[in-house]
Amino acid sequence: MLDLPVNRAIAGGKMKLYTYFRSSAAYRVRIALNLKGLDYDAVPVHLTRTGGEHLQEGYLGVNPAALVPALAENGRVLTQSMAIIEYLDETHPEPALLPGTAVDRARIRAIAQAIACDIHPINNLRVLQYLARELGASEEQKNTWYRHWVELGLTAVEAMLAGDARTGAFCHGDTPTLADCCLVPQVFNARRFKCRMDAFPVLSRIAERCEDIEAFRLAAPGNQPDAE
Ligand SMILES: N[C@@H](CCC(=O)N[C@@H](CS)C(=O)NCC(=O)O)C(=O)O
């Protein structure tokens, strides 16, 4: 059984982030924590080793949905990366990840959700595993699926960003927001799966700008304690 410091985490103290270095949803939260300068302990949950540590009793006690990330603080466990980031933004308002007016925030959330709701779920590990294990898809077919949905989704994101005067150095204006927290991990994965990125000059430019910032760099998969 996976030995996780669940009880200590739930008991309080420093925040604990249940994370996996390659998880883009956990990567979003790592960026947000770093942007806000919040200290936390990373609790690695390996998604493939021994059949997936997230599917074992220890982690199911933290998040019954068997997904990372989860954030434990003050006796509570928060799940869902977007809910966690909004919680962090409400409890630690500076720098604001949802700045501006209600209309500004609606646009930031729309860009973020175009990634987190429209692109990410159909390319998640369990979906790719189902394609391979249950439907007999080959590695090449799986990658074709992945690239198709990511490129389609990023086409929509590029259209939202390009030609909109509210797009600045970042997705919305000149400071990083929730949208950038979602964009950078998705772009990282798109590159990893060799998606055609030349069709996305605006979002690529923004992702590169973000990657120059320490908060983003420290959150990257290669800089995690569980990186392989
Ligand atoms: N909507 C969730 C998605 C979380 C999610 O899908 N996490 C992935 C890693 S990026 C996971 O744990 N996958 C395990 C699996 O597919 O079995 C969130 O934003 O937190």
Side-chain angles (χ1 to χ4, degrees), residues 140-154:
E140 187 45 39
Q141 286 172 321
K142 223 175 61 178
N143 291 341
T144 300
W145 166 286
Y146 186 95
R147 283 192 283 267
H148 172 77
W149 293 114
V150 170
E151 287 173 8
L152 191 78
L154 289 183

mmCIF file with all atom_site columns, all heavy atoms in Angstrom, residues 140-154:
data_model
loop_
_atom_site.group_PDB
_atom_site.id
_atom_site.type_symbol
_atom_site.label_atom_id
_atom_site.label_alt_id
_atom_site.label_comp_id
_atom_site.label_asym_id
_atom_site.label_entity_id
_atom_site.label_seq_id
_atom_site.pdbx_PDB_ins_code
_atom_site.Cartn_x
_atom_site.Cartn_y
_atom_site.Cartn_z
_atom_site.occupancy
_atom_site.B_iso_or_equiv
_atom_site.pdbx_formal_charge
_atom_site.auth_seq_id
_atom_site.auth_comp_id
_atom_site.auth_asym_id
_atom_site.auth_atom_id
_atom_site.pdbx_PDB_model_num
ATOM 1   N N   . GLU A 1 140 ? 1.024   4.599  -31.928 1.00 0.00 ? 140 GLU A N   1
ATOM 2   C CA  . GLU A 1 140 ? 0.870   5.621  -32.963 1.00 0.00 ? 140 GLU A CA  1
ATOM 3   C C   . GLU A 1 140 ? -0.574  6.158  -32.984 1.00 0.00 ? 140 GLU A C   1
ATOM 4   O O   . GLU A 1 140 ? -0.801  7.367  -33.090 1.00 0.00 ? 140 GLU A O   1
ATOM 5   C CB  . GLU A 1 140 ? 1.275   5.040  -34.333 1.00 0.00 ? 140 GLU A CB  1
ATOM 6   C CG  . GLU A 1 140 ? 1.325   6.047  -35.484 1.00 0.00 ? 140 GLU A CG  1
ATOM 7   C CD  . GLU A 1 140 ? 2.023   7.375  -35.107 1.00 0.00 ? 140 GLU A CD  1
ATOM 8   O OE1 . GLU A 1 140 ? 3.031   7.362  -34.371 1.00 0.00 ? 140 GLU A OE1 1
ATOM 9   O OE2 . GLU A 1 140 ? 1.516   8.440  -35.542 1.00 0.00 ? 140 GLU A OE2 1
ATOM 10  N N   . GLN A 1 141 ? -1.548  5.259  -32.858 1.00 0.00 ? 141 GLN A N   1
ATOM 11  C CA  . GLN A 1 141 ? -2.961  5.705  -32.845 1.00 0.00 ? 141 GLN A CA  1
ATOM 12  C C   . GLN A 1 141 ? -3.243  6.582  -31.626 1.00 0.00 ? 141 GLN A C   1
ATOM 13  O O   . GLN A 1 141 ? -3.950  7.586  -31.711 1.00 0.00 ? 141 GLN A O   1
ATOM 14  C CB  . GLN A 1 141 ? -3.886  4.487  -32.866 1.00 0.00 ? 141 GLN A CB  1
ATOM 15  C CG  . GLN A 1 141 ? -3.931  3.807  -34.223 1.00 0.00 ? 141 GLN A CG  1
ATOM 16  C CD  . GLN A 1 141 ? -4.689  2.490  -34.167 1.00 0.00 ? 141 GLN A CD  1
ATOM 17  O OE1 . GLN A 1 141 ? -4.571  1.731  -33.205 1.00 0.00 ? 141 GLN A OE1 1
ATOM 18  N NE2 . GLN A 1 141 ? -5.485  2.227  -35.200 1.00 0.00 ? 141 GLN A NE2 1
ATOM 19  N N   . LYS A 1 142 ? -2.674  6.179  -30.508 1.00 0.00 ? 142 LYS A N   1
ATOM 20  C CA  . LYS A 1 142 ? -2.850  6.964  -29.269 1.00 0.00 ? 142 LYS A CA  1
ATOM 21  C C   . LYS A 1 142 ? -2.277  8.363  -29.448 1.00 0.00 ? 142 LYS A C   1
ATOM 22  O O   . LYS A 1 142 ? -2.902  9.358  -29.085 1.00 0.00 ? 142 LYS A O   1
ATOM 23  C CB  . LYS A 1 142 ? -2.090  6.242  -28.141 1.00 0.00 ? 142 LYS A CB  1
ATOM 24  C CG  . LYS A 1 142 ? -2.811  6.171  -26.841 1.00 0.00 ? 142 LYS A CG  1
ATOM 25  C CD  . LYS A 1 142 ? -2.031  5.333  -25.851 1.00 0.00 ? 142 LYS A CD  1
ATOM 26  C CE  . LYS A 1 142 ? -0.662  5.914  -25.561 1.00 0.00 ? 142 LYS A CE  1
ATOM 27  N NZ  . LYS A 1 142 ? 0.090   5.136  -24.553 1.00 0.00 ? 142 LYS A NZ  1
ATOM 28  N N   . ASN A 1 143 ? -1.087  8.432  -30.037 1.00 0.00 ? 143 ASN A N   1
ATOM 29  C CA  . ASN A 1 143 ? -0.453  9.737  -30.250 1.00 0.00 ? 143 ASN A CA  1
ATOM 30  C C   . ASN A 1 143 ? -1.222  10.569 -31.272 1.00 0.00 ? 143 ASN A C   1
ATOM 31  O O   . ASN A 1 143 ? -1.300  11.800 -31.160 1.00 0.00 ? 143 ASN A O   1
ATOM 32  C CB  . ASN A 1 143 ? 1.007   9.566  -30.676 1.00 0.00 ? 143 ASN A CB  1
ATOM 33  C CG  . ASN A 1 143 ? 1.850   9.029  -29.538 1.00 0.00 ? 143 ASN A CG  1
ATOM 34  O OD1 . ASN A 1 143 ? 1.459   9.108  -28.371 1.00 0.00 ? 143 ASN A OD1 1
ATOM 35  N ND2 . ASN A 1 143 ? 2.992   8.450  -29.859 1.00 0.00 ? 143 ASN A ND2 1
ATOM 36  N N   . THR A 1 144 ? -1.806  9.894  -32.263 1.00 0.00 ? 144 THR A N   1
ATOM 37  C CA  . THR A 1 144 ? -2.614  10.603 -33.255 1.00 0.00 ? 144 THR A CA  1
ATOM 38  C C   . THR A 1 144 ? -3.833  11.218 -32.582 1.00 0.00 ? 144 THR A C   1
ATOM 39  O O   . THR A 1 144 ? -4.206  12.372 -32.842 1.00 0.00 ? 144 THR A O   1
ATOM 40  C CB  . THR A 1 144 ? -3.046  9.637  -34.378 1.00 0.00 ? 144 THR A CB  1
ATOM 41  O OG1 . THR A 1 144 ? -1.860  9.119  -34.982 1.00 0.00 ? 144 THR A OG1 1
ATOM 42  C CG2 . THR A 1 144 ? -3.896  10.328 -35.432 1.00 0.00 ? 144 THR A CG2 1
ATOM 43  N N   . TRP A 1 145 ? -4.468  10.444 -31.731 1.00 0.00 ? 145 TRP A N   1
ATOM 44  C CA  . TRP A 1 145 ? -5.609  10.946 -30.942 1.00 0.00 ? 145 TRP A CA  1
ATOM 45  C C   . TRP A 1 145 ? -5.182  12.177 -30.160 1.00 0.00 ? 145 TRP A C   1
ATOM 46  O O   . TRP A 1 145 ? -5.811  13.227 -30.207 1.00 0.00 ? 145 TRP A O   1
ATOM 47  C CB  . TRP A 1 145 ? -6.085  9.840  -29.991 1.00 0.00 ? 145 TRP A CB  1
ATOM 48  C CG  . TRP A 1 145 ? -7.023  10.279 -28.886 1.00 0.00 ? 145 TRP A CG  1
ATOM 49  C CD1 . TRP A 1 145 ? -6.697  10.985 -27.760 1.00 0.00 ? 145 TRP A CD1 1
ATOM 50  C CD2 . TRP A 1 145 ? -8.431  10.025 -28.802 1.00 0.00 ? 145 TRP A CD2 1
ATOM 51  N NE1 . TRP A 1 145 ? -7.804  11.189 -26.977 1.00 0.00 ? 145 TRP A NE1 1
ATOM 52  C CE2 . TRP A 1 145 ? -8.878  10.609 -27.583 1.00 0.00 ? 145 TRP A CE2 1
ATOM 53  C CE3 . TRP A 1 145 ? -9.344  9.356  -29.609 1.00 0.00 ? 145 TRP A CE3 1
ATOM 54  C CZ2 . TRP A 1 145 ? -10.204 10.547 -27.175 1.00 0.00 ? 145 TRP A CZ2 1
ATOM 55  C CZ3 . TRP A 1 145 ? -10.669 9.286  -29.199 1.00 0.00 ? 145 TRP A CZ3 1
ATOM 56  C CH2 . TRP A 1 145 ? -11.103 9.879  -28.001 1.00 0.00 ? 145 TRP A CH2 1
ATOM 57  N N   . TYR A 1 146 ? -4.075  12.032 -29.428 1.00 0.00 ? 146 TYR A N   1
ATOM 58  C CA  . TYR A 1 146 ? -3.589  13.107 -28.565 1.00 0.00 ? 146 TYR A CA  1
ATOM 59  C C   . TYR A 1 146 ? -3.362  14.378 -29.372 1.00 0.00 ? 146 TYR A C   1
ATOM 60  O O   . TYR A 1 146 ? -3.874  15.449 -29.047 1.00 0.00 ? 146 TYR A O   1
ATOM 61  C CB  . TYR A 1 146 ? -2.279  12.670 -27.875 1.00 0.00 ? 146 TYR A CB  1
ATOM 62  C CG  . TYR A 1 146 ? -1.803  13.678 -26.860 1.00 0.00 ? 146 TYR A CG  1
ATOM 63  C CD1 . TYR A 1 146 ? -2.110  13.549 -25.516 1.00 0.00 ? 146 TYR A CD1 1
ATOM 64  C CD2 . TYR A 1 146 ? -1.076  14.802 -27.263 1.00 0.00 ? 146 TYR A CD2 1
ATOM 65  C CE1 . TYR A 1 146 ? -1.698  14.491 -24.589 1.00 0.00 ? 146 TYR A CE1 1
ATOM 66  C CE2 . TYR A 1 146 ? -0.669  15.756 -26.346 1.00 0.00 ? 146 TYR A CE2 1
ATOM 67  C CZ  . TYR A 1 146 ? -0.985  15.589 -25.011 1.00 0.00 ? 146 TYR A CZ  1
ATOM 68  O OH  . TYR A 1 146 ? -0.589  16.531 -24.103 1.00 0.00 ? 146 TYR A OH  1
ATOM 69  N N   . ARG A 1 147 ? -2.603  14.219 -30.459 1.00 0.00 ? 147 ARG A N   1
ATOM 70  C CA  . ARG A 1 147 ? -2.258  15.411 -31.257 1.00 0.00 ? 147 ARG A CA  1
ATOM 71  C C   . ARG A 1 147 ? -3.507  16.049 -31.868 1.00 0.00 ? 147 ARG A C   1
ATOM 72  O O   . ARG A 1 147 ? -3.624  17.265 -31.929 1.00 0.00 ? 147 ARG A O   1
ATOM 73  C CB  . ARG A 1 147 ? -1.249  15.041 -32.354 1.00 0.00 ? 147 ARG A CB  1
ATOM 74  C CG  . ARG A 1 147 ? 0.170   14.881 -31.809 1.00 0.00 ? 147 ARG A CG  1
ATOM 75  C CD  . ARG A 1 147 ? 1.193   14.809 -32.924 1.00 0.00 ? 147 ARG A CD  1
ATOM 76  N NE  . ARG A 1 147 ? 1.193   13.518 -33.554 1.00 0.00 ? 147 ARG A NE  1
ATOM 77  C CZ  . ARG A 1 147 ? 1.994   12.506 -33.209 1.00 0.00 ? 147 ARG A CZ  1
ATOM 78  N NH1 . ARG A 1 147 ? 2.875   12.656 -32.243 1.00 0.00 ? 147 ARG A NH1 1
ATOM 79  N NH2 . ARG A 1 147 ? 1.924   11.363 -33.833 1.00 0.00 ? 147 ARG A NH2 1
ATOM 80  N N   . HIS A 1 148 ? -4.442  15.205 -32.328 1.00 0.00 ? 148 HIS A N   1
ATOM 81  C CA  . HIS A 1 148 ? -5.655  15.750 -32.940 1.00 0.00 ? 148 HIS A CA  1
ATOM 82  C C   . HIS A 1 148 ? -6.392  16.668 -31.974 1.00 0.00 ? 148 HIS A C   1
ATOM 83  O O   . HIS A 1 148 ? -6.719  17.811 -32.313 1.00 0.00 ? 148 HIS A O   1
ATOM 84  C CB  . HIS A 1 148 ? -6.593  14.612 -33.379 1.00 0.00 ? 148 HIS A CB  1
ATOM 85  C CG  . HIS A 1 148 ? -7.935  15.113 -33.828 1.00 0.00 ? 148 HIS A CG  1
ATOM 86  N ND1 . HIS A 1 148 ? -8.127  15.699 -35.062 1.00 0.00 ? 148 HIS A ND1 1
ATOM 87  C CD2 . HIS A 1 148 ? -9.144  15.178 -33.198 1.00 0.00 ? 148 HIS A CD2 1
ATOM 88  C CE1 . HIS A 1 148 ? -9.387  16.085 -35.176 1.00 0.00 ? 148 HIS A CE1 1
ATOM 89  N NE2 . HIS A 1 148 ? -10.026 15.783 -34.056 1.00 0.00 ? 148 HIS A NE2 1
ATOM 90  N N   . TRP A 1 149 ? -6.649  16.184 -30.757 1.00 0.00 ? 149 TRP A N   1
ATOM 91  C CA  . TRP A 1 149 ? -7.471  16.959 -29.821 1.00 0.00 ? 149 TRP A CA  1
ATOM 92  C C   . TRP A 1 149 ? -6.711  18.155 -29.249 1.00 0.00 ? 149 TRP A C   1
ATOM 93  O O   . TRP A 1 149 ? -7.307  19.214 -29.019 1.00 0.00 ? 149 TRP A O   1
ATOM 94  C CB  . TRP A 1 149 ? -8.003  16.057 -28.700 1.00 0.00 ? 149 TRP A CB  1
ATOM 95  C CG  . TRP A 1 149 ? -8.978  15.060 -29.232 1.00 0.00 ? 149 TRP A CG  1
ATOM 96  C CD1 . TRP A 1 149 ? -8.834  13.709 -29.289 1.00 0.00 ? 149 TRP A CD1 1
ATOM 97  C CD2 . TRP A 1 149 ? -10.256 15.334 -29.847 1.00 0.00 ? 149 TRP A CD2 1
ATOM 98  N NE1 . TRP A 1 149 ? -9.929  13.126 -29.883 1.00 0.00 ? 149 TRP A NE1 1
ATOM 99  C CE2 . TRP A 1 149 ? -10.815 14.096 -30.228 1.00 0.00 ? 149 TRP A CE2 1
ATOM 100 C CE3 . TRP A 1 149 ? -10.974 16.501 -30.102 1.00 0.00 ? 149 TRP A CE3 1
ATOM 101 C CZ2 . TRP A 1 149 ? -12.060 13.992 -30.853 1.00 0.00 ? 149 TRP A CZ2 1
ATOM 102 C CZ3 . TRP A 1 149 ? -12.219 16.402 -30.726 1.00 0.00 ? 149 TRP A CZ3 1
ATOM 103 C CH2 . TRP A 1 149 ? -12.743 15.162 -31.092 1.00 0.00 ? 149 TRP A CH2 1
ATOM 104 N N   . VAL A 1 150 ? -5.413  17.985 -29.067 1.00 0.00 ? 150 VAL A N   1
ATOM 105 C CA  . VAL A 1 150 ? -4.638  19.119 -28.553 1.00 0.00 ? 150 VAL A CA  1
ATOM 106 C C   . VAL A 1 150 ? -4.538  20.207 -29.619 1.00 0.00 ? 150 VAL A C   1
ATOM 107 O O   . VAL A 1 150 ? -4.746  21.399 -29.330 1.00 0.00 ? 150 VAL A O   1
ATOM 108 C CB  . VAL A 1 150 ? -3.230  18.672 -28.076 1.00 0.00 ? 150 VAL A CB  1
ATOM 109 C CG1 . VAL A 1 150 ? -2.344  19.880 -27.780 1.00 0.00 ? 150 VAL A CG1 1
ATOM 110 C CG2 . VAL A 1 150 ? -3.358  17.807 -26.824 1.00 0.00 ? 150 VAL A CG2 1
ATOM 111 N N   . GLU A 1 151 ? -4.265  19.812 -30.850 1.00 0.00 ? 151 GLU A N   1
ATOM 112 C CA  . GLU A 1 151 ? -4.137  20.839 -31.907 1.00 0.00 ? 151 GLU A CA  1
ATOM 113 C C   . GLU A 1 151 ? -5.480  21.537 -32.143 1.00 0.00 ? 151 GLU A C   1
ATOM 114 O O   . GLU A 1 151 ? -5.530  22.763 -32.315 1.00 0.00 ? 151 GLU A O   1
ATOM 115 C CB  . GLU A 1 151 ? -3.593  20.204 -33.191 1.00 0.00 ? 151 GLU A CB  1
ATOM 116 C CG  . GLU A 1 151 ? -2.107  19.856 -33.051 1.00 0.00 ? 151 GLU A CG  1
ATOM 117 C CD  . GLU A 1 151 ? -1.532  19.064 -34.227 1.00 0.00 ? 151 GLU A CD  1
ATOM 118 O OE1 . GLU A 1 151 ? -2.236  18.892 -35.240 1.00 0.00 ? 151 GLU A OE1 1
ATOM 119 O OE2 . GLU A 1 151 ? -0.377  18.608 -34.118 1.00 0.00 ? 151 GLU A OE2 1
ATOM 120 N N   . LEU A 1 152 ? -6.574  20.776 -32.121 1.00 0.00 ? 152 LEU A N   1
ATOM 121 C CA  . LEU A 1 152 ? -7.891  21.400 -32.277 1.00 0.00 ? 152 LEU A CA  1
ATOM 122 C C   . LEU A 1 152 ? -8.159  22.388 -31.133 1.00 0.00 ? 152 LEU A C   1
ATOM 123 O O   . LEU A 1 152 ? -8.601  23.524 -31.346 1.00 0.00 ? 152 LEU A O   1
ATOM 124 C CB  . LEU A 1 152 ? -8.976  20.318 -32.295 1.00 0.00 ? 152 LEU A CB  1
ATOM 125 C CG  . LEU A 1 152 ? -10.355 20.796 -32.716 1.00 0.00 ? 152 LEU A CG  1
ATOM 126 C CD1 . LEU A 1 152 ? -10.422 20.948 -34.241 1.00 0.00 ? 152 LEU A CD1 1
ATOM 127 C CD2 . LEU A 1 152 ? -11.428 19.819 -32.257 1.00 0.00 ? 152 LEU A CD2 1
ATOM 128 N N   . GLY A 1 153 ? -7.861  21.955 -29.930 1.00 0.00 ? 153 GLY A N   1
ATOM 129 C CA  . GLY A 1 153 ? -8.100  22.805 -28.759 1.00 0.00 ? 153 GLY A CA  1
ATOM 130 C C   . GLY A 1 153 ? -7.219  24.037 -28.755 1.00 0.00 ? 153 GLY A C   1
ATOM 131 O O   . GLY A 1 153 ? -7.678  25.145 -28.438 1.00 0.00 ? 153 GLY A O   1
ATOM 132 N N   . LEU A 1 154 ? -5.950  23.851 -29.120 1.00 0.00 ? 154 LEU A N   1
ATOM 133 C CA  . LEU A 1 154 ? -5.043  25.012 -29.127 1.00 0.00 ? 154 LEU A CA  1
ATOM 134 C C   . LEU A 1 154 ? -5.395  25.974 -30.257 1.00 0.00 ? 154 LEU A C   1
ATOM 135 O O   . LEU A 1 154 ? -5.131  27.174 -30.153 1.00 0.00 ? 154 LEU A O   1
ATOM 136 C CB  . LEU A 1 154 ? -3.574  24.560 -29.219 1.00 0.00 ? 154 LEU A CB  1
ATOM 137 C CG  . LEU A 1 154 ? -3.007  23.883 -27.963 1.00 0.00 ? 154 LEU A CG  1
ATOM 138 C CD1 . LEU A 1 154 ? -1.523  23.557 -28.149 1.00 0.00 ? 154 LEU A CD1 1
ATOM 139 C CD2 . LEU A 1 154 ? -3.194  24.735 -26.705 1.00 0.00 ? 154 LEU A CD2 1
#
